């Protein structure tokens, strides 16, 4: 896996980083905590430029997030509410609760998008509710870009500075990402199990 990333980055440079990060945001077979530190390490070896890595990684992340944003826009609030009316248990939300979430996102959506882009396991998912609730594209892109740039720069610079020890970053970030996803899964199962009891 590492060799394939190095070859892609070495041959395509910033375009390779862009494509890897775009793919990571769509379906993450290789997480950013592996891609970006390795790209930073490659730049430190003189086989690339750190600013190019950060810029390309940010643009790839934003492109992938934007695609999920439009998936959310396609779903929309009204379609989601109709689904909740028929299959609320599996969504774990009633139409009334979706209205409350919509109002909450109207008020705090920019912060949810910004900090969501900095949380492993949440980075991609946060784009969907932004689209569903109809968050304007301009603010979505602005906050997504800021959050993505911070995440990309942090990992790429860490890989650049750590050199051959860049792999240590993934050993720290990956367990956090797995823990977040595990907690989200447990929370979802609990919501499904208690849905009928809560709304009876």
């Amino acid at each position: 896996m590492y060799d394939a990333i190095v070859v892609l980055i070495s041959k395509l440079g910033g375009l390779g980083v862009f494509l890897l990060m775009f793919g990571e945001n769509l379906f993450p077979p290789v997480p950013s905590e592996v891609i970006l530190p390795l790209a930073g390490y490659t730049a430190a070896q003189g086989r690339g430029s750190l600013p190019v890595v950060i810029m390309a990684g940010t643009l790839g992340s934003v492109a992938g997030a934007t695609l999920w944003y439009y998936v959310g826009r396609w779903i929309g609030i009204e379609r989601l509410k109709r689904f909740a009316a028929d299959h609320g248990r599996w969504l774990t939300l009633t139409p009334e609760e979706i209205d409350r979430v919509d109002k909450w996102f109207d008020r705090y959506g920019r912060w949810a998008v910004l900090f969501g882009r900095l949380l492993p396991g949440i980075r991609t998912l946060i784009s969907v509710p932004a689209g569903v609730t109809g968050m304007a594209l301009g603010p979505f892109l602005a906050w997504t870009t800021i959050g993505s740039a911070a995440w990309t720069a942090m990992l790429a610079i860490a890989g650049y500075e750590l050199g051959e020890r860049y792999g240590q970053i993934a050993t720290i970030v990956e367990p956090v990402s797995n823990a977040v996803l595990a907690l989200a899964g447990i929370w979802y199962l609990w919501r499904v199990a208690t849905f009928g009891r809560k709304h009876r």
Side-chain angles (χ1 to χ4, degrees):
M1 176 177 66
Y2 287 89
D3 292 340
I5 295 174
V6 170
V7 169
L8 187 60
I9 293 173
S10 298
K11 287 187 175 182
L12 299 180
L15 178 59
V17 176
F18 173 89
L19 292 174
L20 286 167
M21 289 303 296
F22 178 71
E24 185 262 349
N25 277 265
L26 295 184
F27 178 73
V30 183
S32 56
E33 53 265 30
V34 173
I35 297 168
L36 294 171
L38 182 50
Y41 169 59
T42 301
Q45 290 184 313
R47 291 185 285 167
S49 164
L50 184 60
V52 169
V53 167
I54 294 172
M55 182 178 297
T58 300
L59 291 175
S61 291
V62 172
T66 302
L67 191 148
W68 283 115
Y69 166 85
Y70 277 108
V71 170
R73 288 295 293 262
W74 174 78
I75 295 171
I77 282 291
E78 293 307 317
R79 182 175 296 182
L80 191 64
K81 287 168 66 175
R82 288 196 298 271
F83 182 86
D86 295 331
H87 310 285
R89 172 181 291 277
W90 304 114
L91 190 62
T92 74
L93 290 171
T94 64
E96 293 74 23
E97 288 172 326
I98 290 174
D99 282 332
R100 289 198 291 272
V101 171
D102 185 28
K103 291 177 182 177
W104 182 93
F105 215 93
D106 285 342
R107 187 172 183 180
Y108 302 108
R110 61 188 185 278
W111 302 114
V113 170
L114 174 62
F115 291 111
R117 295 300 298 172
L118 297 170
L119 294 175
I122 303 297
R123 297 181 63 249
T124 299
L125 299 177
I126 194 61
S127 301
V128 177
V132 168
T133 57
M135 184 178 188
L137 180 61
F140 171 79
L141 289 176
W143 293 111
T144 297
T145 300
I146 293 171
S148 297
W151 177 257
T152 300
M154 178 180 67
L155 293 180
I157 291 171
Y160 187 92
E161 295 294 335
L162 285 174
E164 293 183 354
R165 294 176 293 141
Y166 69 87
Q168 294 178 0
I169 300 167
T171 63
I172 296 172
V173 178
E174 282 184 350
V176 175
S177 178
N178 292 336
V180 170
L181 291 175
L183 288 173
I186 292 169
W187 176 81
Y188 172 76
L189 292 174
W190 178 81
R191 292 271 300 181
V192 170
T194 60
F195 184 82
R197 190 184 319 156
K198 180 177 63 174
H199 296 94
R200 187 170 297 138

